[in-house]
Amino acid sequence: MLPPELLDRLDETVDRSAIAVRVDAICRAVAARWPGLQVSMDDFVAHLAHQLPRDEPLPEALARVHASDLYLAFSCAAGDAHAIHAFFAEYGDSIASQLSRMRIPTAARADLEQDLRIGLFVSRADRPPLVKDYAGRGTLRSWLRAVVVH
């Protein structure tokens, strides 16, 4: 069943059953890619619906989203420890290599990496964790490189 966030985007030109099949395929693919994560698919699909560009037809937006990356980021933002571990297993090298390319002194790198980990995954009183900003429009690796640079 499609969540209200996606149903609101459907009109008479969009085949509901095709969208349901596509969403189901996305859910199966992300579950296969990240089998140990605990975030429910219903919650993820609602998040996915909010992240899809409103100025693009729904079928095209669903085809373009980096759903596996989005599911991992969403799971990290939800505080799933398995997701955070998977994030660093997959992308930790990107952080270190980006800091190295920026010619950050070795002594300062560890502190910056720690600050980045906190910013990415810990909510503050004034904002959710940064990883929640990832919208799935590019790869998570590219988004992370941009976060490290900034």
Side-chain angles (χ1 to χ4, degrees), residues 79-99:
D80 183 333
H82 295 292
I84 294 169
H85 177 75
F87 183 95
F88 281 105
E90 189 76 17
Y91 302 109
D93 63 326
S94 291
I95 295 170
S97 66
Q98 187 63 42
L99 290 173

Side-chain angles (χ1 to χ4, degrees), residues 58-113:
L58 187 56
E60 286 84 354
L62 285 170
R64 247 197 287 282
V65 70
H66 293 263
S68 290
D69 287 351
L70 185 61
Y71 182 65
L72 178 62
F74 181 65
S75 297
C76 287
D80 183 333
H82 295 292
I84 294 169
H85 177 75
F87 183 95
F88 281 105
E90 189 76 17
Y91 302 109
D93 63 326
S94 291
I95 295 170
S97 66
Q98 187 63 42
L99 290 173
S100 178
R101 277 194 294 276
M102 294 169 65
R103 296 190 171 97
I104 305 286
T106 305
R109 266 189 236 157
D111 289 339
L112 286 172
E113 284 188 47

Side-chain angles (χ1 to χ4, degrees), residues 7-83:
L7 289 172
D8 292 345
R9 304 237 348 232
L10 298 177
D11 61 29
E12 63 280 346
T13 65
V14 178
D15 180 358
R16 264 181 205 230
S17 62
I19 296 298
V21 166
R22 179 68 184 134
V23 169
D24 183 59
I26 287 171
C27 290
R28 281 186 279 110
V30 301
R33 175 68 176 99
W34 305 112
L37 305 191
Q38 304 299 310
V39 172
S40 80
M41 282 300 153
D42 289 340
D43 291 343
F44 169 66
V45 172
H47 178 69
L48 169 68
H50 286 291
Q51 297 303 322
L52 295 173
R54 305 283 287 160
D55 61 345
E56 186 174 5
L58 187 56
E60 286 84 354
L62 285 170
R64 247 197 287 282
V65 70
H66 293 263
S68 290
D69 287 351
L70 185 61
Y71 182 65
L72 178 62
F74 181 65
S75 297
C76 287
D80 183 333
H82 295 292

